[in-house]
Amino acid sequence: MSNGTPYFLPAEKAQGLANYPHARFAPTAPHRTLYISGTSSRRGDGTWDGVTEHADGSWTLDIEEQTAAVLRNIEAIIQGATNGTGGLQNIVDATVFMIDLPQNYSGMNEEWNKVWPDRANAPARTTIGVKELPNPRLLVEIKCTVAV
């Protein structure tokens, strides 16, 4: 199942910095729309991917590891909600919320582009810099709309 049809502006117009179309036409019936709540890199045991805890109580955060984990968590949600018939390829639109855009944007894009190496297959996307997320260990959270 496809996530619809991409639309791209002509090459002489501004292009995205990562792999995503300017817009995407969502598939029509008989598809259903699944709205995925903001998802982080949190694991089932309450820890986070992309967080290295240190003995002194501080931690080191890795945007690439967190982004990859967020996308894995989203895929698990989609697969669970569709009894295994859907996946990341069904995402029509994504909103990325990120701490410290200048520091983390390129690392997030690296992981994004691994999942969607061809921008014609990528969902439409908006990235928003935010002051904070629900836990100070989080650098990125993604919410998305899926056509299944």
Side-chain angles (χ1 to χ4, degrees):
M1 181 180 338
S2 162
N3 63 345
T5 306
Y7 169 77
F8 297 101
L9 287 171
E12 68 273 5
K13 300 290 186 179
Q15 301 297 309
L17 298 176
N19 293 337
Y20 53 87
H22 290 97
R24 178 164 294 288
F25 290 98
T28 57
H31 297 98
R32 294 178 63 198
T33 304
L34 177 64
Y35 299 91
I36 307 287
S37 298
T39 303
S40 73
S41 65
R42 190 165 44 90
R43 301 178 188 127
D45 65 2
T47 61
W48 299 267
D49 280 310
V51 178
T52 303
E53 303 277 349
H54 303 290
D56 66 358
S58 65
W59 55 80
T60 303
L61 307 177
D62 185 303
I63 187 61
E64 290 91 354
E65 287 181 30
Q66 284 197 19
T67 303
V70 169
L71 293 171
R72 283 193 307 272
N73 288 345
I74 289 171
E75 185 163 44
I77 293 166
I78 296 168
Q79 289 179 342
T82 64
N83 294 316
T85 62
L88 295 176
Q89 74 277 5
N90 298 106
I91 299 174
V92 175
D93 182 56
T95 304
V96 179
F97 302 94
M98 190 182 319
I99 302 293
D100 194 356
L101 237 61
Q103 178 68 32
N104 295 313
Y105 187 71
S106 64
M108 182 275 296
N109 276 339
E110 284 182 39
E111 292 303 315
W112 180 274
N113 291 345
K114 288 178 185 176
V115 173
W116 291 285
D118 179 358
R119 70 184 188 134
N121 296 323
R125 189 186 89 186
T126 300
T127 303
I128 301 169
V130 296
K131 180 181 174 189
E132 58 189 356
L133 289 168
N135 187 290
R137 291 170 182 84
L138 299 177
L139 295 171
V140 61
E141 179 175 294
I142 300 174
K143 71 180 296 276
C144 55
T145 305
V146 183
V148 293

